[in-house]
Amino acid sequence: MSVLQLYMIKDVARLSGYSIYTLKFYLKLGLMQEIGRSPETRFRYFDDSTLNRLAHIRTLRKQGKGLSEIKHLLES
């Protein structure tokens, strides 16, 4: 049984190499989603699937794909 690893946005930024600004932009565009929020602090939480998705986005960006095209690819 694996333990679910939770990350705050600052951890995702550190682990992925993306800036917090970019991550918030990707959230706004719907390229990534939080898996939950703390009811007390309203901090967003993410998991390993978020890091995998960001790695996939980075690969697609390196292939020259635009953000709207990436969103379409991720949704299909």
Side-chain angles (χ1 to χ4, degrees):
M1 183 172 137
S2 64
V3 177
L4 180 65
Q5 184 70 43
L6 293 178
Y7 307 102
M8 292 193 307
I9 198 163
K10 66 179 182 175
D11 303 317
V12 174
R14 180 176 45 83
L15 293 167
S16 70
Y18 283 100
S19 69
I20 290 175
Y21 175 84
T22 298
L23 295 176
K24 287 181 178 180
F25 183 63
Y26 283 4
L27 280 164
K28 184 177 176 182
L29 292 179
L31 291 173
M32 58 183 272
Q33 293 91 25
E34 63 202 43
I35 62 159
R37 275 191 184 237
S38 165
E40 297 87 26
T41 63
R42 304 291 297 149
F43 289 158
R44 296 178 178 101
Y45 289 104
F46 305 90
D47 64 7
D48 289 323
S49 68
T50 305
L51 295 174
N52 294 335
R53 190 173 182 100
L54 289 168
H56 189 203
I57 291 170
R58 178 167 273 130
T59 299
L60 294 170
R61 291 291 285 155
K62 285 182 179 175
Q63 293 172 2
K65 301 203 180 334
L67 294 177
S68 60
E69 185 180 3
I70 290 171
K71 183 174 182 187
H72 179 73
L73 288 169
L74 293 173
E75 289 173 349
S76 58

